[in-house]
Amino acid sequence: MASQHRKPRSAGARVAGIRTPALATAALTSVALLSQTANAAPSDDGKPSLEEVEKKVDDLYRQAESATEKYNAAKEKTTKQRKRTDGLMDDVAQRTQKLNEAREELGSYAAAQYRTGASAPDTAAFLLADTPQDYFDQNQLMSRLTGRQKGAVDDYVTEQSATMKQRQEATESLATLTDAQHDLKIAKATVQKKLAAARELLSRLTAQEKARLAAIEKQRQEEAARKAAELARQQAAEQAAAQQESGGASAATGSSSTAPAPAPSENPAYATKAEKALAFARAQIGKPYVWGATGPDSYDCSGLTQAVWKAAGVTLPRTTYDQVNAGTTVSLADARPGDLIFFYDDVSHVGVYIGNGMMIHAPKPGAYVREESVFYDGESAIHSVVRPA
């Protein structure tokens, strides 16, 4: 998307972090471990360290994903503008045909008047002129026209005015389409440039460096899994407390119902839709990430979430920038299966929450749709949680 399409969000829109000291301790432990790894790999030859390469590659992938969302927006705008332009051009063609028919009818009247001497020769020139409106105030001329002929003149002038207006709109629409196509071309080139740079950096790594990189990634995944488990425990505790409170209230009012009351945040209608959405999401696991793709064989991040909720009968916008506004924002602690989890300050990534601190998402170029902790890139990366239906 070109930057002008991005919908800015205030810092207050970000979700609150998990409110447990255990995760803070785990995070500090992770930082210490990663610092030890980084310190263990100094670079004495001027080459970037493995950790610097990793960070650069991650940054490039993120930039590529951000550019992908800009591409998606530009593509969507181009498609809409092309459709509008085509419609205007079709309308202009139809109006031009009607204008020609009206001109021919006027010509026949003028020819008949000329043959019978009912009007001066310059009347024919008037009736066949492009702008006869200029002469309508000449009473001696208009008095010579029958009611039908006067109607033909009026129809001609009206059609001429409408046709000129539509031609102007079509011209402006074509200019807008050209701008949109330019934005699309730039966004596409940006994505390709970022991905090429990332591939180039990775291609320079030795087998030993790639192994170390994989070890660092595994360590991150383990830390992310621990945070996901902590979030799952927190959510379970809060739901149990809510149910207990609700059950106590029912008992106090003499309720005869024996069924456990649902947590306040539960919505049966939403849960039903979310179940359909998640069933579709799980069926996409293993399909490749392809920037700009919306399925069914490959997806980018927002293409996947759009398709997931479409399977449940809910229409979402195409881009992350619009999807983040397509629902109700909730806290991370209140996240429920089916909710959308957005990442980074520029809202350039999204996944669908499946519960227990996990999500299904299309991660990045070169990866596949997979189930992963919502903390895959750290808690600070989480921007917001949105319930779309």
Side-chain angles (χ1 to χ4, degrees), residues 136-209:
F136 271 9
D137 293 333
Q138 298 182 26
N139 295 329
Q140 71 276 17
L141 179 61
M142 296 306 295
S143 64
R144 297 172 184 168
L145 300 176
T146 65
R148 182 179 178 185
Q149 291 170 336
K150 176 61 167 61
V153 171
D154 290 341
D155 290 344
Y156 173 81
V157 172
T158 299
E159 198 63 48
Q160 182 188 52
S161 176
T163 301
M164 292 178 65
K165 181 180 179 180
Q166 286 297 87
R167 282 175 178 168
Q168 180 62 30
E169 288 185 13
T171 299
E172 294 173 355
S173 183
L174 279 172
T176 303
L177 176 59
T178 300
D179 290 342
Q181 289 173 327
H182 178 68
D183 291 342
L184 184 64
K185 183 178 180 180
I186 291 177
K188 182 176 181 179
T190 301
V191 174
Q192 293 174 332
K193 181 179 179 180
K194 300 297 183 183
L195 294 180
R199 285 192 292 265
E200 172 65 19
L201 282 173
L202 290 173
S203 69
R204 296 176 184 174
L205 297 179
T206 65
Q208 184 180 10
E209 288 173 329

Side-chain angles (χ1 to χ4, degrees), residues 227-273:
K227 287 188 176 183
E230 179 62 30
L231 174 60
R233 285 192 293 270
Q234 178 185 327
Q235 290 178 329
E238 291 183 356
Q239 289 182 36
Q243 289 180 349
Q244 185 176 7
E245 181 180 348
S246 179
S250 297
T253 57
S255 173
S256 60
S257 174
T258 59
S265 58
E266 292 291 348
N267 182 322
Y270 178 77
T272 299
K273 292 179 181 179

Side-chain angles (χ1 to χ4, degrees), residues 47-64:
K47 292 174 58 178
S49 68
L50 182 60
E51 288 71 26
E52 290 173 335
V53 171
E54 180 192 34
K55 184 180 184 305
K56 181 63 176 177
V57 169
D58 286 345
D59 287 346
L60 286 169
Y61 277 139
R62 276 192 54 193
Q63 291 169 22

Side-chain angles (χ1 to χ4, degrees), residues 29-39 51 54 216 219-220:
T29 301
S30 176
V31 169
L33 289 172
L34 288 174
S35 297
Q36 292 172 5
T37 304
N39 292 334
E51 288 71 26
E54 180 192 34
I216 294 174
Q219 186 182 45
R220 286 183 174 180

Side-chain angles (χ1 to χ4, degrees), residues 10 113 265 279 311 327 348:
S10 64
Q113 287 183 340
S265 58
S348 58

Side-chain angles (χ1 to χ4, degrees), residues 311-323:
V314 176
T315 300
L316 291 181
R318 174 64 183 93
T319 68
T320 55
Y321 307 140
D322 292 327
Q323 288 182 10

